[in-house]
Amino acid sequence: MDIDDAPSTPGKWKMEKPHHRHHPRLLLPRWHHSYPVSKLVFWSFFALALFLAIFLLSPRSSAPARTPDSFASSSTSSGVRRAALQMAPWGGPAWEKRVRSSARVRRNPGGASVLVTGAAGFVGMHVAAALKRRGDGVLGLDNFNGYYDPSLKRARQALLDRAGVFVVEGDINDGALLRKLFDVVPFTHVVHLAAQAGVRHALVDPASYVHSNVAGLVSVLEAAKAADPQPAIVWASSSSVYGLNSRVPFSEAHRTDRPASLYAATKKAGEEIAHAYNHIYGLSITGLRFFTVYGPWGRPDMAYFFFTRDILLGKPVSIFEGPDHATVARDFTYIDDIVKGCLAALDHAGKSTGSGGKKRGPAPLRIYNLGNTSPVPVTKLVSILERLLKVKAVKKLVKMPRNGDVQFTHANITFAQKELGYRPTTGLHTGLKKFVRWYLEYYSISLSKNDSKGRRISS
Ligand SMILES: O=C(O)[C@H]1O[C@H](OP(=O)(O)OP(=O)(O)OC[C@H]2O[C@@H](n3ccc(=O)[nH]c3=O)[C@H](O)[C@@H]2O)[C@H](O)[C@@H](O)[C@@H]1O
């Protein structure tokens, strides 16, 4: 029946006797007329209540499954990636109120009010949460780009939101946004962690490294130098700046002028840019050279993360070897140790001395290694994962491609120990155990559901 055939006045439609041969749709008007209104209301409410109950009580597993294999988006070009970024609009009284409230110091008398860039990233989320926990004011900033699965970044944002940290959606290259944030909040510190990370990806999308790690850093320093008061800056450099340095363990006094990747070169450039801003404007700047940070809520582009995924899927993992089968090793550093190092660097950062864009006196300029001081071969990393996952990995030993990787990293942390009281306490086995526990829970994977070869076939 066409809707145009229906009379406009209810009740004028002559009903037929219900008949089972009728199409159910034709019975509807009759049912409507013969059913008491009270019963109709009752059943409508009942249906609505049932629907709500099912919706609210449904277990987490009924939500769209999280899949750990979405790092494929990393191969998109920077142009495509940026075009796809849909930033939420910023500004307005309600937005400013939220910004102010998030950045307000709560329980920490004389505490810091901190802008954390890259707050939806791995290290950013942990640092922002730790600052908030101890009562500091924290505002996050992140552009939620698609270098890896943005839903993981959204989940981190949701976690911060529950902790009372507002993450503003925006790019560090947006000077107007940064100026606005400094207008609204007199930040005492900036922990600048937003960056284009990943050593090997620089071959795929070199422009994104210059955009985030060079132009983005300058943009943040420009906003900081013009702010009144000027904040102290703590930012993420990288162990990769040691590049072809072969003296071990790597010390801050060693050469860092032979980077092996564009990523490393942009981080090294950042250290020189920091020098210039400290020199000209009196900004207090501390660079932290992180050594292969890993742990819960980590980055899917890192080896320990995608090895875990591939081992569970029964897919081969490529283990890089140096020339003549030489071991490739990393000074893997657990996230909680890195967070302690970041907070200590912030607490020990001397003040910036400039104001109104003018230097008033010398300000601190520091660089520290934050590593674990015990390099572990990648083969060992894989065997720990095999034990924790209770699955044998399909291992492929391959010659390390010329992709910017270095063979070995090992941190000397004497300076950080002496000046920041930094002391890493988590070994690789313990740290990976915590990572694996998080990974299985986050992706709702049960190890008991393996196939006959002991492999997990799907999440
Ligand atoms: O320390 C740092 O500064 C850097 O640490 C990591 O870089 P990387 O140490 O190369 O970490 P992964 O990419 O997770 O690689 C870990 C190890 O696994 C090896 N690997 C990687 C990939 C692979 O398929 N096979 C393999 O054996 C690498 O050569 C490396 O020795 C981060 O990805 C960088 O963003 C960070 O700046």
Side-chain angles (χ1 to χ4, degrees):
M1 183 181 292
D2 199 297
I3 191 78
D4 291 334
D5 296 335
S8 57
T9 318
K12 281 201 179 158
W13 199 351
K14 188 166 177 290
M15 290 297 117
E16 287 180 27
K17 244 181 148 180
H19 197 288
H20 292 302
R21 275 177 309 164
H22 286 158
H23 188 282
R25 207 164 69 112
L26 297 179
L27 295 178
L28 191 64
R30 166 122 199 137
W31 175 83
H32 173 76
H33 277 263
S34 61
Y35 217 76
V37 173
S38 59
K39 279 196 179 173
L40 181 66
V41 170
F42 169 79
W43 282 113
S44 303
F45 272 110
F46 180 76
L48 187 68
L50 192 68
F51 172 77
L52 280 175
I54 290 170
F55 179 75
L56 292 173
L57 297 175
S58 57
R60 236 187 63 178
S61 58
S62 67
R66 286 163 168 166
T67 49
D69 51 353
S70 13
F71 177 54
S73 61
S74 68
S75 58
T76 55
S77 77
S78 59
V80 172
R81 194 149 30 80
R82 273 182 230 125
L85 286 182
Q86 298 214 324
M87 309 282 190
W90 54 266
W95 179 87
E96 285 185 20
K97 196 172 163 209
R98 234 182 133 188
V99 165
R100 248 185 237 109
S101 156
S102 184
R104 189 170 304 129
V105 180
R106 304 276 162 179
R107 292 187 311 276
N108 196 0
S113 178
V114 190
L115 173 64
V116 179
T117 71
F122 170 37
V123 180
M125 181 206 83
H126 283 285
V127 167
L131 288 168
K132 196 72 185 180
R133 269 198 301 275
R134 70 179 200 179
D136 286 339
V138 188
L139 181 77
L141 175 66
D142 204 291
N143 72 2
F144 294 89
N145 71 38
Y147 169 56
Y148 60 80
D149 182 8
S151 75
L152 179 56
K153 300 179 182 185
R154 292 291 171 192
R156 295 186 190 125
Q157 178 191 29
L159 192 143
L160 286 180
D161 196 52
R162 287 194 293 276
V165 177
F166 176 34
V167 181
V168 170
E169 215 167 318
D171 198 291
I172 49 170
N173 282 285
D174 185 345
L177 169 59
L178 292 180
R179 278 193 297 279
K180 182 73 186 172
L181 292 176
F182 280 104
D183 275 353
V184 175
V185 179
F187 291 108
T188 57
H189 298 78
V190 176
V191 179
H192 175 50
L193 302 170
Q196 178 55 57
V199 174
R200 294 173 291 280
H201 185 65
L203 294 179
V204 180
D205 190 3
S208 65
Y209 288 78
V210 179
H211 179 76
S212 295
N213 304 355
V214 180
L217 174 65
V218 170
S219 171
V220 169
L221 294 176
E222 276 294 310
K225 73 119 205 274
D228 205 0
Q230 281 183 341
I233 315 280
V234 175
W235 73 286
S237 183
S238 159
S239 72
S240 65
V241 299
Y242 290 105
L244 304 184
N245 174 50
S246 52
R247 293 168 68 190
V248 284
F250 299 168
S251 149
E252 293 88 338
H254 291 172
R255 281 179 73 175
T256 52
D257 56 355
R258 290 169 298 170
S261 66
L262 177 65
Y263 169 71
T266 60
K267 286 295 183 181
K268 175 64 185 168
E271 294 186 354
E272 306 308 333
I273 290 166
H275 181 276
Y277 273 81
N278 167 268
H279 174 69
I280 304 172
Y281 300 111
L283 277 175
S284 159
I285 308 180
T286 307
L288 301 174
R289 292 177 180 164
F290 295 159
F291 282 69
T292 316
V293 190
Y294 71 99
W297 295 97
R299 275 173 31 211
D301 64 317
M302 289 185 67
Y304 74 95
F305 198 116
F306 63 77
F307 281 176
T308 299
R309 176 200 62 200
D310 290 346
I311 292 170
L312 288 169
L313 290 171
K315 281 169 71 178
V317 295
S318 302
I319 300 174
F320 297 158
E321 287 185 325
D324 300 324
H325 305 291
T327 300
V328 170
R330 284 290 178 275
D331 196 359
F332 294 100
T333 311
Y334 188 63
I335 183 64
D336 290 1
D337 291 325
I338 290 292
V339 169
K340 279 188 227 150
C342 290
L343 268 54
L346 186 145
D347 292 339
H348 289 82
K351 282 194 178 352
S352 292
T353 60
S355 76
K358 289 217 173 61
K359 180 178 178 175
R360 308 272 174 213
L365 178 69
R366 311 174 303 168
I367 287 278
Y368 296 107
N369 285 341
L370 292 186
N372 192 49
T373 70
S374 50
V376 177
V378 178
T379 42
K380 173 87 187 219
L381 165 81
V382 173
S383 66
I384 296 175
L385 287 175
E386 284 179 308
R387 251 181 295 145
L388 293 170
L389 298 168
K390 303 185 184 77
V391 181
K392 209 95 205 94
V394 184
K395 286 173 263 189
K396 244 180 28 192
L397 293 174
V398 299
K399 215 171 130 229
M400 198 164 76
R402 277 177 182 269
N403 55 13
D405 263 327
V406 294
Q407 207 175 309
F408 191 77
T409 65
H410 183 183
N412 175 331
I413 57 163
T414 312
F415 286 125
Q417 227 158 8
K418 217 161 53 196
E419 293 173 25
L420 307 179
Y422 169 73
R423 194 167 304 118
T425 55
T426 310
L428 187 60
H429 186 276
T430 309
L432 282 178
K433 197 169 171 183
K434 293 181 183 183
F435 164 71
V436 165
R437 193 181 307 142
W438 167 82
Y439 184 95
L440 297 176
E441 199 198 318
Y442 183 77
Y443 291 113
S444 306
I445 295 172
S446 144
L447 284 185
S448 56
K449 285 189 205 148
N450 293 337
D451 70 8
S452 55
K453 290 183 186 135
R455 290 179 203 146
R456 170 84 201 168
I457 24 186
S458 69
S459 53

